[in-house]
Amino acid sequence: MAVVEINSGICGFVTRVEVKKTDHKTVEVDIDTDCPNLKRVAASIKQIKPAREMFCKLHDTDTYRALLKGLAHPACPVPVGILKGIEAEAGLALPKDAYIKVSA
């Protein structure tokens, strides 16, 4: 199982994502978040086919389309965090931390 913890930044919301293979073509995604906007749409992402998600444009992924309905901010890092977890659990990439550092 891949586990991704996403600290979204100034909003202070934390999202924890667990991705588990259910068979060789599908993963199950479980999202637990403090964000009230994402809570409304998190349940719409359950069964995902990684091969489809990882080989299309970001705006065409089922993950991004589902989350778009709840995202209040276009720079929210949650969609990419979920996709990284899907990628790792499916064996399409090794698990490795990724982060965004912003300085002013």
Side-chain angles (χ1 to χ4, degrees):
M1 175 173 38
V3 178
V4 181
E5 192 168 304
I6 307 154
N7 182 328
S8 293
I10 197 67
C11 67
F13 296 130
V14 174
T15 300
R16 180 182 163 87
V17 182
E18 293 181 359
V19 184
K20 184 177 180 181
K21 255 191 224 184
T22 54
D23 61 39
H24 68 284
K25 292 184 180 181
T26 309
V27 295
E28 184 174 286
V29 180
D30 183 48
I31 302 168
D32 180 33
T33 183
D34 297 335
C35 176
N37 297 311
L38 288 174
K39 277 184 185 180
R40 289 195 313 265
V41 296
S44 63
I45 302 172
K46 281 295 176 198
Q47 298 290 322
I48 295 290
K49 297 201 179 303
R52 185 205 177 297
E53 292 292 273
M54 294 302 113
F55 299 106
C56 64
K57 296 191 182 303
L58 174 65
H59 62 277
D60 288 333
T61 64
D62 293 336
T63 301
Y64 193 74
R65 282 193 212 161
L67 290 180
L68 253 177
K69 297 171 187 158
L71 288 177
H73 193 283
C76 178
V78 172
V80 75
I82 294 169
L83 290 168
K84 292 299 275 180
I86 291 168
E87 182 180 52
E89 180 62 10
L92 298 171
L94 293 172
K96 177 79 173 149
D97 289 347
Y99 65 93
I100 299 168
K101 182 177 179 180
V102 180
S103 301

